[in-house]
């Protein structure tokens, strides 16, 4: 709770170069570094609300400030006489929280609620008074923050505590934004608390609030919270990092010269851009030191290039990679594929002739604003839904108004907060919810896969490492219990297969409504939605759990007369020619032959893995050509779903093409999928494509390919 926070004593080792130098607006990042290296001043603000108003107008020039003044008057009069543990008037806390949000660009409603966020909890002010004076929206947010403040966090990362906090937010990201700013100010002012209490608060911040800041994209808050937690929980590593940064401050920094070179390159190319050197925060420097060992001058910061349009980002990238030596492994495109928390930028690294490697971030100014402030930069994300609800109410349609009211979902892609609220209702217990949630919070990269059926939406966003099982539950919900297979990029694959960014996925559902997931699905599901749904089904159907291994049955085989080399001829007199069973070449495949034991020549397709192995062993290939005759032998694999009469229907389809079955093998079903292997004698190799199409047209067959 905010009432616990105190102010630290001034520290004499504060670096003067980090203080404000004649700036009219406060720099949140600079204030954060000053909070770590020592506060610069404890002077009172000359005008209690003036800095908030100034910061707010910088982002919203036309904002009506009268509501902020009224909120301040109510907050100041309500908190009058209350003191923080540092001895300062309590009103300094809501003012500081509001200033943090104003610097991030929060809209007026959020700032008003921030000024009042402790009044209902700590004073005689009631929610009805807030509603009467400032409206329903401000009252809604204040109520949500009050519920969050009443939660006793107790042990760090306590599952039930986190679950309560999610419910208390009322499904409004602005509640969380205020809570994050509230915690940031409290973390800045932990100095006079007992070390054990500092550690407890820091652990909760690390386990709960920093992942939330990351998910909401509020990087300015997240990075400063990380540094403050780092200083408390890892004091030795923090002091080592502090010493590294201090030592670097006395050395020549190569980044300004590299930035000047980048400016010159872009100016010559006619690209209007702003180039800055951005110092890394403490935790970032610590991570780089662990990764690279000894740090060089260019490792203490990055170059930021700001442009006007998305196309300019790629123009800058082209110039950088043309005029400097790019480090290809460092390139990441988050413009075409934004991260889960709205983040967009191009990341690259370039090497200079002097041997320095500089990381470069390229983004538009709007991307930069969102990268720093996340959902706070979106203004009021619920304004559109509120306008629709008001219009529906005026038209006298209560049903429409109710529908609009349900639109209060978070604006982040793809609705993460809304899903969290669904998960906490579905999870059987807090520990289950917490275990799957921690895995979700730990994800720092998403992939996007495309639906092959063309349905809306056309894409599915999943965490990196997700499987076809996750895609099934993301697309079909509980109907995914009946999923029995998937085609990825046109090829039939198992549900356990991991997906890659850009894959096209077609999910195949069983016709049997009683179908359910196998127990081993939990081993391959990565998303909370999938894991919770699978666990609930397995608990509700304990007698219906599928075996995780196939029954021990021998495959059914049908063998006919086998031929030899077909119409392949080796350029080796009197040699016996055999077509390799591993790749079964047919005309007009490019082939190679190798002499094996007994003097026979085995013929492989040129791209067969056995060819590479033979050549690696130093075996000399024998030239092979095809006879003018058109007949050939080929082995085909057919993958299908099990059903009665499937083997008969496939055999009939093959016979209708005039093809002889030399041998056939049917493997036991696994997850209702059956694999057939046919060795076939074709009267004409040109008929192979038509044969494969005929086999694919058999109901239940989803893939036919050469062995």
């Amino acid at each position: 709770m905010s009432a616990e926070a105190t102010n630290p004593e001034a520290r004499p080792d504060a670096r003067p170069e980090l203080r404000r130098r004649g700036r009219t607006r406060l720099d949140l990042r600079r204030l954060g570094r000053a909070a770590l290296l020592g506060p610069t001043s404890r002077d009172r603000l000359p005008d209690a609300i003036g800095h908030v108003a100034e910061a707010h107008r910088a982002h919203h020039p036309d904002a009506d400030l009268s509501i902020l003044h009224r909120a301040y008057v109510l907050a100041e009069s309500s908190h009058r006489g209350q003191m923080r543990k540092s001895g300062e008037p309590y009103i300094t806390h809501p003012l500081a929280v509001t200033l943090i949000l104003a610097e991030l660009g929060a809209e007026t409603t959020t700032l008003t609620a921030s000024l009042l966020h402790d009044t209902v909890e700590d004073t005689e002010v009631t929610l009805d008074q807030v509603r009467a004076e400032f409206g329903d929206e401000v009252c809604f947010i204040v109520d949500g923050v009050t519920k969050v403040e009443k939660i006793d966090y107790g042990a760090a990362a306590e599952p039930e505590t986190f679950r309560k906090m999610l419910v208390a937010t009322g499904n409004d990201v602005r509640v969380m934004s205020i809570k994050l700013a509230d915690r940031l100010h409290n973390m800045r002012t932990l100095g006079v608390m007992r070390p054990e209490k500092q550690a407890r608060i820091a652990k909760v911040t690390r386990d709960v609030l920093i992942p939330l800041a990351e998910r909401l994209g509020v990087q300015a808050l997240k990075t400063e919270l990380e540094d403050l937690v780092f200083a408390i929980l890892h004091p030795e590593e923090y002091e080592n990092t502090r010493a590294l940064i201090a030592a670097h401050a006395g050395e020549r920094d190569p980044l300004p010269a590299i930035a000047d070179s980048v400016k010159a390159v872009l100016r010559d190319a006619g690209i209007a851009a702003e180039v800055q050197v951005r110092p890394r925060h403490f935790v970032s420097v610590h991570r780089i030191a662990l990764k690279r060992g000894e740090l060089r001058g260019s490792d203490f910061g990055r170059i930021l290039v700001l442009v006007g349009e998305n196309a300019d980002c790629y123009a800058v990238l082209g110039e950088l990679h043309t005029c400097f030596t790019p480090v290809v492994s460092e390139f990441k495109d988050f413009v075409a594929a934004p991260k889960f928390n709205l983040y967009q930028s191009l990341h690259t690294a370039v090497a200079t002739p002097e041997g320095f490697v500089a990381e470069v971030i390229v983004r538009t100014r709007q991307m930069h604003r969102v990268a720093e402030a996340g959902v706070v930069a979106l203004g009021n994300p619920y304004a559109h839904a509120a306008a629709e609800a008001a219009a529906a109410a005026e038209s006298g349609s209560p049903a429409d108004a109710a529908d609009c009211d349900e639109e209060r979902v978070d604006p982040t892609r793809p609705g993460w907060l809304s899903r969290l609220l669904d998960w906490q209702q579905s999870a059987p217990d807090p520990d289950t919810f917490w275990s799957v949630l921690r895995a979700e919070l730990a994800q720092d990269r998403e992939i996007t896969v495309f639906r092959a059926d063309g349905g809306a939406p056309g894409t599915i966003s999943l965490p990196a490492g997700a499987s076809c099982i996750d895609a099934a539950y993301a697309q079909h919900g509980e109907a995914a219990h009946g999923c029995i297979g998937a085609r990825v990029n046109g090829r039939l694959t198992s549900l356990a297969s991991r997906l890659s960014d850009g894959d096209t996925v077609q999910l195949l559902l069983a016709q049997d409504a009683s179908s359910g997931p196998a127990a081993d699905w939990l081993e391959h599901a990565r998303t909370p939605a999938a894991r919770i749904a699978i666990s609930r089904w397995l608990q509700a159907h304990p007698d219906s759990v599928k075996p995780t291994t196939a029954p021990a049955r021998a495959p059914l085989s049908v063998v006919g007369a086998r031929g030899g080399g077909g119409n392949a001829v080796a350029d080796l007199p009197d040699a016996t020619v055999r077509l390799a069973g591993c790749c079964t070449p047919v005309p007009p495949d490019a082939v190679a032959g190798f002499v094996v034991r007994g003097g026979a020549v085995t013929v492989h397709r040129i791209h067969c893995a056995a060819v590479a192995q033979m050549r690696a062993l130093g075996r000399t290939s024998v030239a092979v050509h095809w006879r003018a005759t058109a007949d050939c032998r080929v082995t085909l694999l057919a993958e299908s779903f099990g059903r009665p009469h499937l083997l008969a229907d496939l055999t009939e389809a093959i016979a209708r093409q005039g093809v002889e079955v030399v041998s056939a093998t049917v493997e036991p079903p696994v997850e209702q999928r059956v694999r057939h292997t046919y060795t076939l004698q074709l009267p004409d190799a040109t008929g192979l494509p038509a044969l494969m199409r005929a086999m694919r047209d058999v109901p239940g067959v989803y893939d036919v390919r050469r062995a």
Side-chain angles (χ1 to χ4, degrees):
M1 291 175 56
S2 57
E4 295 176 343
T6 58
N7 281 338
E9 296 299 325
R11 288 164 60 176
D13 56 349
R15 286 168 55 186
E17 65 268 26
L18 294 176
R19 298 175 183 170
R20 293 175 58 229
R21 297 177 177 175
R23 294 174 59 92
T24 57
R25 292 182 56 218
L26 301 180
D27 187 325
L28 180 61
R29 186 176 293 275
R30 183 165 295 185
L31 283 177
R33 291 178 67 84
L36 286 170
L37 299 174
T40 61
S41 172
R42 295 186 61 179
D43 296 337
R44 281 182 171 278
L45 297 176
D47 175 7
I49 198 66
H51 282 304
V52 172
E54 183 183 355
H56 187 40
R57 276 285 171 83
H59 293 279
H60 304 277
D62 300 326
D64 179 10
L65 300 180
S66 62
I67 188 172
L68 291 180
H69 285 281
R70 287 191 287 116
Y72 169 71
V73 170
L74 176 59
E76 196 280 331
S77 61
S78 302
H79 289 295
R80 190 173 299 163
Q82 296 179 350
M83 308 297 287
R84 307 194 82 209
K85 291 186 178 180
S86 62
E88 292 180 331
Y90 190 82
I91 188 61
T92 58
H93 171 68
L95 272 173
V97 172
T98 306
L99 179 59
I100 291 171
L101 293 170
E103 287 292 331
L104 291 174
E107 39 84 41
T108 309
T109 301
T110 303
L111 298 185
T112 304
S114 177
L115 282 169
L116 302 170
H117 78 270
D118 278 335
T119 55
V120 174
E121 180 186 10
D122 295 338
T123 74
E124 299 299 321
V125 176
T126 66
L127 281 174
D128 289 337
Q129 288 176 291
V130 174
R131 180 181 293 106
E133 183 70 20
F134 301 100
D136 291 338
E137 200 75 6
V138 172
C139 178
F140 184 92
I141 300 173
V142 171
D143 185 35
V145 178
T146 301
K147 291 176 180 177
V148 173
E149 293 290 352
K150 288 181 179 179
I151 296 171
D152 179 13
Y153 281 90
E158 181 185 352
E160 185 61 26
T161 295
F162 194 91
R163 196 169 180 174
K164 288 177 181 177
M165 191 187 77
L166 288 174
V167 177
T169 62
N171 207 5
D172 193 318
V173 291
R174 292 174 294 181
V175 174
M176 285 191 175
S177 300
I178 295 174
K179 178 58 185 174
L180 289 171
D182 174 88
R183 177 51 60 95
L184 175 57
H185 183 244
N186 288 340
M187 288 294 297
R188 287 177 179 174
T189 57
L190 282 180
V192 298
M193 284 194 172
R194 299 187 309 274
E196 59 270 19
K197 195 163 189 178
Q198 291 185 35
R200 181 181 70 82
I201 295 174
K203 287 177 181 178
V204 174
T205 303
R206 178 196 63 193
D207 293 342
V208 177
L209 296 176
I210 287 177
L212 274 178
E214 171 73 12
R215 277 285 164 174
L216 298 178
V218 194
Q219 294 298 318
L221 300 187
K222 179 228 176 188
T223 54
E224 187 176 346
L225 285 171
E226 281 185 329
D227 286 349
L228 292 164
V229 168
F230 182 48
I232 294 172
L233 298 183
H234 305 282
E236 291 185 7
E237 291 90 339
Y238 167 74
E239 288 300 330
N240 292 337
T241 305
R242 178 191 176 93
L244 282 174
I245 294 175
H248 169 67
E251 300 174 353
R252 186 182 72 86
D253 189 347
L255 286 178
I258 299 174
D260 289 339
S261 299
V262 171
K263 288 180 186 176
V265 166
L266 299 182
R267 183 171 57 250
D268 293 343
I271 301 173
E274 178 184 352
V275 182
Q276 306 174 6
V277 175
R278 301 262 291 181
R280 292 184 184 275
H281 63 105
F282 280 70
V283 171
S284 180
V285 172
H286 176 66
R287 289 170 179 161
I288 290 294
L290 292 177
K291 177 181 178 181
R292 300 179 184 174
E294 184 177 354
L295 296 181
R296 305 186 64 186
S298 58
D299 291 332
F300 288 87
R302 293 182 288 189
I303 294 175
L304 173 65
V305 181
L306 299 178
V307 294
E309 303 293 338
N310 286 20
D312 295 336
C313 294
Y314 294 98
V316 169
L317 183 70
E319 293 297 327
L320 291 176
H321 285 189
T322 300
C323 300
F324 299 90
T325 302
V327 182
V328 179
S329 61
E330 296 294 326
F331 173 67
K332 298 180 181 67
D333 187 348
F334 297 118
V335 173
K339 294 179 72 174
F340 54 79
N341 56 4
L342 309 175
Y343 180 87
Q344 287 185 285
S345 291
L346 295 178
H347 288 211
T348 189
V350 294
T352 67
E354 295 78 16
F356 292 109
V357 175
E359 294 186 28
V360 184
I361 300 174
V362 185
R363 58 176 69 137
T364 67
R365 290 173 178 82
Q366 174 61 20
M367 290 176 191
H368 180 60
R369 184 183 171 208
V370 174
E372 290 291 293
V375 295
V376 179
L378 300 180
N380 180 1
Y382 313 106
H384 179 68
E388 288 186 353
E394 290 179 2
S395 66
S397 176
D400 291 343
D403 291 341
C404 293
D405 186 58
E406 293 177 359
E407 290 296 321
R408 186 179 288 277
V409 295
D410 76 292
T412 56
R413 187 181 65 90
W416 179 75
L417 177 56
S418 299
R419 293 205 310 270
L420 277 190
L421 293 168
D422 292 339
W423 299 339
Q424 69 85 21
Q425 293 173 358
S426 303
D429 57 78
D431 289 329
T432 300
F433 173 72
W434 178 247
S435 63
V436 295
L437 179 61
R438 291 192 69 175
E440 173 79 2
L441 289 172
Q443 295 294 333
D444 61 353
R445 192 170 69 86
E446 269 196 351
I447 61 172
T448 300
V449 298
F450 297 89
R451 293 176 54 176
D453 58 7
T459 61
I460 304 172
S461 297
L462 298 167
S467 66
C468 295
I469 294 171
D470 298 303
Y473 282 94
Q475 178 176 337
H476 296 293
E478 292 196 355
H481 293 330
C483 193
I484 53 178
R487 295 172 70 91
V488 178
N489 302 324
R491 301 298 298 271
L492 195 66
T493 186
S494 70
L495 288 173
S497 299
R498 288 193 175 188
L499 297 170
S500 300
D501 200 29
D503 282 346
T504 299
V505 182
Q506 179 186 0
L507 299 161
L508 310 170
L509 302 182
Q511 302 298 321
D512 184 2
S514 63
S515 297
D520 63 345
W521 284 19
L522 286 172
E523 300 175 11
H524 308 292
R526 298 291 301 275
T527 58
R531 294 185 62 83
I532 291 174
I534 295 167
S535 297
R536 291 178 64 189
W537 192 93
L538 294 175
Q539 291 172 3
H541 303 81
D543 299 328
S544 302
V545 177
K546 299 178 183 179
T548 57
T549 57
R553 291 191 301 161
L556 171 64
S557 298
V558 179
V559 182
R562 293 181 178 271
N567 49 3
V569 179
D571 293 346
L572 196 65
D574 302 324
T576 303
V577 177
R578 293 201 298 259
L579 299 180
C582 55
C583 58
T584 57
V586 299
D589 291 342
V591 292
F594 293 90
V595 178
V596 295
R597 292 178 182 176
V601 175
T602 302
V603 180
H604 298 265
R605 293 163 67 184
I606 198 67
H607 297 298
C608 178
V611 172
Q613 294 174 0
M614 291 284 193
R615 288 175 174 167
L617 294 173
R619 305 286 289 276
T620 303
S621 62
V622 177
V624 178
H625 64 274
W626 298 105
R627 289 195 187 99
T629 54
D631 66 312
C632 67
R633 178 170 297 182
V634 65
T635 299
L636 298 179
L637 301 179
E639 304 237 24
S640 63
F641 297 138
R643 65 171 179 83
H645 311 298
L646 176 62
L647 180 61
D649 292 345
L650 264 172
T651 305
E652 182 181 353
I654 293 170
R656 284 201 301 266
Q657 298 296 314
V659 175
E660 176 189 353
V661 178
V662 177
S663 67
T665 301
V666 183
E667 299 178 8
V670 177
E671 294 185 356
Q672 299 190 34
R673 296 195 345 268
V674 183
R675 179 171 176 166
H676 309 251
T677 304
Y678 292 95
T679 300
L680 307 171
Q681 188 73 31
L682 278 70
D684 189 338
T686 60
L688 180 58
L691 169 65
M692 296 175 69
R693 284 195 299 271
M695 295 174 67
R696 289 192 188 102
D697 289 340
V698 174
V701 176
Y702 283 93
D703 195 17
V704 177
R705 64 184 185 274
R706 296 270 298 276

